[in-house]
Amino acid sequence: MGNKVRAAAYGRVSTEKDDQAKFPSKSQRKNIFSDYISQHEDWELTGIYYDEGISGTQTAKRKGFNQMIQDAMAGRIDLILTKEVSRFARNTVDTLSFVRKLKAKGVRVIFTID
């Protein structure tokens, strides 16, 4: 079998209390991502990136997100999983821009793994 797909995951919990209530905790989300990735024989988990208590409207202050993008652009990630588009970014322009940059680098992004 060839090289495994280097899969990473991204999770974000916003600052809005109502919004936080509908998402699993950080440890639960990590388990969900790890379990999902382990179900794919040709995937290997390369990292779980996370931002907590940070709005998704801007990416500048999201350390976990920015580290993930940096690692992907450096060729260390082939696939990024995230719960849904709003966890990746709330700003449509940011979402499209980052997904396009990642795609150009050969990195796939999958939204919603449940």
Side-chain angles (χ1 to χ4, degrees):
M1 181 167 223
N3 293 337
K4 289 193 172 196
V5 173
R6 296 166 297 171
Y10 177 73
R12 180 185 62 79
V13 177
S14 72
T15 56
E16 300 168 15
K17 289 180 185 173
D18 290 341
D19 198 33
Q20 287 178 359
K22 69 180 182 178
F23 292 98
S25 70
K26 182 178 178 180
S27 63
Q28 289 171 322
R29 178 59 48 199
K30 283 183 175 184
N31 289 337
I32 291 168
F33 284 133
S34 295
D35 291 346
Y36 186 84
I37 290 169
S38 70
Q39 292 173 16
H40 296 80
E41 291 181 14
D42 59 337
W43 292 7
E44 66 180 345
L45 178 62
T46 59
I48 298 177
Y49 300 83
Y50 209 87
D51 288 304
E52 194 165 14
I54 297 177
S55 171
T57 57
Q58 296 180 18
T59 59
K61 295 181 181 180
R62 293 167 53 200
K63 291 180 183 180
F65 181 85
N66 289 312
Q67 184 63 56
M68 177 189 66
I69 297 297
Q70 183 179 13
D71 289 348
M73 298 307 285
R76 293 188 281 271
I77 299 171
D78 302 313
L79 171 67
I80 296 171
L81 302 169
T82 191
K83 169 74 174 125
E84 60 186 51
V85 175
S86 69
R87 300 299 91 199
F88 190 79
R90 289 234 185 236
N91 181 309
T92 304
V93 173
D94 282 346
T95 300
L96 291 172
S97 175
F98 281 107
V99 170
R100 285 178 179 156
K101 285 178 189 176
L102 291 164
K103 183 178 178 182
K105 192 69 175 173
V107 179
R108 294 184 302 150
V109 179
I110 298 176
F111 299 107
T112 303
I113 63 167
D114 294 338

